[in-house]
Amino acid sequence: MNAQSLRTFVTVVRLGSFSGAAAHLGYTQSAISQQIAALESDLGAVLLHRRPVRPTEAGERLLEHAGPILLRMDAARGELARLTGGPVGRRLTVGGSAPALQHGVAGALARVRRRDPRVEVSVRVLGRAEVAAAVAEGAVDLGLVDGVAAPTNPLRLPADLPVVATAVAEEPLAVVLPADHPLGVRPALDLADLADARWVDAPEAAAPLADLRAAVGWDAFPAGPRYDGPDAGTLLDLVAAEHGLALLPAAVAADRADVAAVPLRAPRLVHRTEALHGRLPSPVATAFLDALEEGGLSRRRAPR
């Protein structure tokens, strides 16, 4: 079982098509079929139903292993490239979830460029689940990710990735409701009291409902409409229009008259932002981390 055949298998499953995988990977359809056949022969199992294209039970089991295997291989390639002085030069690519990129990134980048105007800067918006993998693979020099955690606790990241986390910020959370909601006048709210309320499911812009359910320990919080974008303003519009509640950093809703932001009292949770980089960060990534620290936004943490 080689990495290319495994990557081809994952691509065929993801696209549900041999021809689609061929176009995506730059092979002929015949070459894709040969790679899948060789993989099935090597493993002694049929991995794919052909019409329609979907994984067999054996294919489903292989798929569970394939993602972590390929990610670790990409992470090893990226780390070795940094170790051997790969083509990093004066390029700095910062990638992160949209809320995390708001925490001092512009100021830190400005400080880096003042010291070396030749640094070429790129900023990429990624999904929260993509940031750690992008850092491990070397697709970005430094990542910024946010999420909900207990005070001073690190965010939950994939345990098998060679990344180092640096705390950037912790902010108080608030339950955001329509301005005329009866609970909007409360001094504080407990999540447990809102277990039956409808929530906007906005995993990229607010605390994901899965995190809220994990915080209270049971399957609560019925979902209203799903919003897949990262823009907090659009999410606040949905809350104001009574589509559901949201849990956000208190400062996000401070200037909106059409919503009420009530501090979260229990459980004790904060909105946490972390910077992620490889165990061997490039010089420009190190300079960016230093610039974040100079802005009073971070402190170094141990590798995970």
Side-chain angles (χ1 to χ4, degrees):
M1 180 172 59
N2 62 58
Q4 184 55 59
S5 296
L6 194 58
R7 199 177 301 276
T8 297
F9 167 71
V10 171
T11 304
V12 171
V13 172
R14 178 169 59 86
L15 298 178
S17 165
F18 280 69
S19 59
H24 181 79
L25 295 173
Y27 291 104
T28 64
Q29 185 169 339
S30 175
I32 294 293
S33 296
Q34 290 172 11
Q35 289 184 43
I36 296 299
L39 183 62
E40 291 179 324
S41 176
D42 183 28
L43 296 176
V46 176
L47 301 174
L48 291 170
H49 297 291
R50 266 47 177 189
R51 295 182 181 176
V53 176
R54 56 186 177 84
T56 63
E57 183 177 359
E60 291 282 5
R61 300 289 78 76
L62 178 60
L63 201 60
E64 292 177 2
H65 296 283
I69 290 171
L70 292 173
L71 182 55
R72 286 295 298 183
M73 295 184 70
D74 290 339
R77 186 178 293 110
E79 189 162 350
L80 289 175
R82 290 189 289 268
L83 179 65
T84 57
V88 292
R90 288 187 168 87
R91 295 191 300 272
L92 172 63
T93 302
V94 177
S97 55
L101 288 172
Q102 300 173 13
H103 283 287
V105 172
L109 291 175
R111 284 188 285 276
V112 170
R113 297 201 67 212
R114 277 198 297 269
R115 290 172 189 154
D116 187 350
R118 295 170 293 178
V119 172
E120 300 175 12
V121 172
S122 299
V123 179
R124 294 173 54 189
V125 178
L126 302 171
R128 282 172 169 148
E130 301 172 318
V131 179
V135 172
E137 295 166 359
V140 300
D141 299 296
L142 188 136
L144 289 155
V145 66
D146 70 306
V148 170
T152 73
N153 279 5
L155 296 177
R156 289 177 296 177
L157 300 175
D160 59 344
L161 292 182
V163 297
V164 178
T166 299
V168 171
E170 284 189 358
E171 303 171 274
L173 286 162
V175 179
V176 184
L177 319 93
D180 58 355
H181 195 285
L183 297 178
V185 297
R186 294 274 190 92
L189 287 169
D190 297 348
L191 275 185
D193 295 334
L194 302 167
D196 295 327
R198 184 173 59 184
W199 293 70
V200 179
D201 190 8
E204 295 299 328
L209 291 188
D211 289 355
L212 301 191
R213 290 165 183 150
V216 298
W218 71 85
D219 188 14
F221 311 115
R226 182 178 174 90
Y227 171 55
D228 287 315
D231 179 57
T234 301
L235 174 57
L236 292 175
D237 290 341
L238 291 169
V239 173
E242 301 184 358
H243 290 288
L245 312 184
L247 188 65
L248 288 164
V252 170
D255 297 328
R256 295 277 298 237
D258 53 354
V259 297
V262 182
L264 177 68
R265 178 172 51 203
R268 293 185 65 233
L269 298 172
V270 294
H271 178 259
R272 183 177 175 87
T273 302
E274 293 183 352
L276 309 179
H277 60 84
R279 291 183 293 203
L280 297 169
S282 67
V284 286
T286 300
F288 180 77
L289 279 171
D290 291 340
L292 281 176
E293 285 193 328
E294 287 177 16
L297 292 170
S298 66
R299 62 182 184 274
R300 298 297 170 87
R301 292 184 62 88
R304 299 197 208 163

